Amino acid sequence: MKRRWWSLLLLCLLLTGCSAAASGGYLISAAEGSGTYSEALEPFLSGYTLRDGEDTLYAEVSRGSAVACFDVQAIPAMTRGVGRYWYPHVSATVVLAVDRTRTDAAITGWSSLRESGIPVGMSSFSVVRNMLAMGALSYGLDGKEPTKQDALEFLEQLYRNGGFELDGADTPILICLDYEAAAWNRTGGNYEVIVPVEGTLTYRVGLLSDTPLILEPGLDEALLSAGLPLAGGERPPGFPDDYRPARTLGEEDYDRFLALTGDSSRDLRRQVFHTRLYTTADMREHILSALLIAAAILLWKGTVSHRMIRHDVRRVVIAMSWLMVGWLLLRLFKYQLPQEGTLCRICWYGYYLFQLALPVALLYLTEILDRAEGEKRLVHPLWPPFAVYVFSVLLVMTNDLHQLVFCFTPGGSWASDYRYGPGYWIVMAFALLFLISALWNLLRKGHRSPSRRGRILPLLFCAGLLVYLAAYIRRIPLAWESDLTVNVCILSVLFFEAVLHGGLIPVNIQYQRLFASAPINLTLLDEDGRTVLSSPGARPISRSVWQRLRADIQQPLLRDRDTQFHAVPVRSGMAVWQEDLSQLNRLRKEIQDVQARLEAANALLREEGEVKKRLLTAETNRALFEQLDRDMERRITSLARLINTLPEVEDPRGLTAYITLCLCHIKRRCNLFFLARQGEPLPGDELGMYLDELAELARYGGVNTLIRCGKVGALKLRGAALCYDFAFETISWTLREKATPLMGYLNAEGAQLVFRFLPGGDPGQWRFSQELVAAVTALGGQIACKDLDGAYGICLTVPLGGEACG
């Protein structure tokens, strides 16, 4: 009995010790969508206080907090040594929620979304929720070999067809978690919750901790009462009945899932919405761009410091460089913090500590340019701009107390739901005033610069910076979706580099070393023609040469055949370099010799080409007319025979009509022959005119002929020629047999060109010429005679296509 009491006492002490060890901890709702689960869980986790996360999931777990998250977050974290205990309690299936008050479309799965054309949205835009949805969609589209590209192409098609939104809570169809849709229905919504028939994924929501957790009894009932399905499969009312298409990830699937859904936010922005194509699109690119730009600015600082002759100007430039680097590093640190935290917002305010200091530093730089180095007293004291800068920074940093700079929307996200207050415009007006004053000082002190580009380029970069800031403040998409810090730093560096190249800030150091090692013969002269600096190989410049150069400085001066002087004006003198023309003269002589030989060779080639061209033209014409003679020989021979027999015929009218018909046929065939050589199609209307001409001649011979053409469009010459030959031979037979009347109809039927004739006699004894039959067969057509219950029909069928040859 005593042993039992001691055992009970020891158990109580252990439980008390565990509870004491757990006391003072926090329950963190780290994943979006786990708030309801955390609230229902808090009463059953004694010693833990529910609060929002102030750091990353990994940091919160390492501090001893219990973090509510999804299995795709917890299990990979445990494999990497973050967290030792995982307690899954709730299942979360990616489903489709269809608002039946707004659409009655038949939605069964992913494919039906593409066919419906109805806008689709996700109920959130966080990185984790994008990964959950992308993973479910990838496995649903191809369960065996899922790929992210298939899911991206599917969403892009949705975006083009009916519309797709990441934060589309107002769309008729939502991609969400099943317990979210059930909660909407409990609050008065009318959503049909659909598990996609192609397949989806079921995730688990639970607690990740570094220490073992003790949960009070009754948690399952509380979760079901809160409307959350259990990880074991039990679900409260309001959920779909059939979850068979849903798949749960196994232990071996999590690494593949992370590789599949990695960079989902970046890919959605660029490949689906086609935004952020030229700027950073996700956290990794934000970090890399900040490091890259900071390194580039430090390298640029080193080059500028090496070019500066004055130490005070060099110190100001170094300070401005470190201001931009500090701004980028603060931005990099801010991205490591939870966006909802106060520290993240303070870092955002801290941007203006560096941003507002840049115009003041530039103004100070322009004030010290025209005074001797080492002079302590400034003509225009700079304490008022510095005092305004301090006031502006304090006004921004204390914005949480008064919201005069940024006015936040109640209940919204401070990072995006805000507007600019009067304090912001005051601060920006002072910064703009300092920038304009600095520009005026630069232009006023550098007005003697001979380069117009030196004055225009800095103004262009400055105007570009102001336009970009105005577009960002107005939230124009191209500017609003870009990175303000990176772009302002890049434009500032380009502006300062343009100022240096334009000569508005002096960078003239180590001239003597330059002249001593210059590979060209360079000489620097003062206003009186005296030599100031000269390279070792340069010849001395006499006063007479200097006077001739000054008289017309734009034109080079030829000293002798192999030496030429070039001069450019510089401040208080001129720079002269001597060009050695000996090699150039030798090359010019060689070029002239080669050019003469080439001109002679070209003359021979041109003459040879003209001869070949004339021979080729004659040969082509001869071959063309030989082919035409072969094609017309049979027809002309037959026509000559008929003309010879014309005086012996008792009734010459019919034979005359037939001879005229043959002449017309020969003329039109020659016309078609040349059209074919030109590669041009024959319009259907023109072919109809040719056929009407044959019909008119047939009527002159006593045969009542009617030929009609349907809508046949432009025809290939080979098919048109066959139709014309077919009509000629049919009319010829009708004239000989007196098989009047004759009716014909030409029409395009599908991919075939059909030409039908209905003669007034039996064409059964008629045989078409071998040339026509062979040509029709070669084109893939046929000629058929049909008995039509007391009447007869002749039909020619050829394809609409074919070679364009006669």
Side-chain angles (χ1 to χ4, degrees), residues 619-652:
E619 183 64 22
T620 302
N621 291 335
R622 184 187 61 81
L624 182 65
F625 283 101
E626 284 180 357
Q627 183 179 357
L628 181 61
D629 289 341
R630 288 194 301 269
D631 188 62
M632 295 291 110
E633 183 178 2
R634 181 182 58 84
R635 298 183 176 91
I636 294 174
T637 302
S638 176
L639 181 62
R641 187 174 60 254
L642 291 174
I643 293 174
N644 291 333
T645 60
L646 182 61
E648 303 173 1
V649 178
E650 297 179 358
D651 185 11

Side-chain angles (χ1 to χ4, degrees), residues 539-559:
R539 296 181 181 181
I541 298 177
S542 63
R543 188 169 184 83
S544 61
V545 172
W546 169 74
Q547 291 175 346
R548 291 168 62 186
L549 287 173
R550 189 177 63 172
D552 190 1
I553 200 170
Q554 300 296 331
Q555 296 296 328
L557 177 63
L558 189 64
R559 179 173 182 174

Side-chain angles (χ1 to χ4, degrees), residues 554-618:
Q554 300 296 331
Q555 296 296 328
L557 177 63
L558 189 64
R559 179 173 182 174
D560 52 42
R561 185 175 181 275
D562 294 331
T563 306
Q564 184 174 257
F565 290 124
H566 297 267
V568 292
V570 297
R571 184 176 299 179
S572 301
M574 71 172 64
V576 180
W577 72 92
Q578 304 171 20
E579 184 180 3
D580 185 7
L581 302 179
S582 59
Q583 295 183 0
L584 185 61
N585 291 330
R586 186 173 62 253
L587 290 175
R588 184 181 294 111
K589 180 64 171 58
E590 294 177 357
I591 291 173
Q592 289 175 353
D593 295 340
V594 172
Q595 184 176 4
R597 290 195 297 269
L598 289 177
E599 288 178 353
N602 286 336
L604 292 176
L605 291 175
R606 283 195 299 271
E607 184 177 355
E608 182 182 0
E610 291 294 331
V611 172
K612 289 183 178 180
K613 183 178 179 181
R614 289 193 296 271
L615 291 176
L616 184 60
T617 302

Side-chain angles (χ1 to χ4, degrees), residues 474-551:
R474 295 292 302 272
R475 300 194 179 187
I476 296 175
L478 183 61
W480 178 251
E481 293 175 356
S482 64
D483 195 299
L484 174 69
T485 304
V486 170
N487 290 335
V488 169
C489 290
I490 292 175
L491 290 173
S492 299
V493 169
L494 293 176
F495 163 75
F496 201 87
E497 187 66 23
V499 168
L500 294 179
H501 279 282
L504 301 181
I505 295 178
V507 286
N508 48 354
I509 63 173
Q510 298 182 350
Y511 274 173
Q512 293 180 354
R513 182 181 300 179
L514 170 66
F515 275 81
S517 59
I520 61 175
N521 300 324
L522 182 64
T523 303
L524 191 64
L525 305 174
D526 62 9
E527 294 178 341
D528 298 324
R530 295 187 295 266
T531 300
V532 179
L533 291 171
S534 178
S535 59
R539 296 181 181 181
I541 298 177
S542 63
R543 188 169 184 83
S544 61
V545 172
W546 169 74
Q547 291 175 346
R548 291 168 62 186
L549 287 173
R550 189 177 63 172

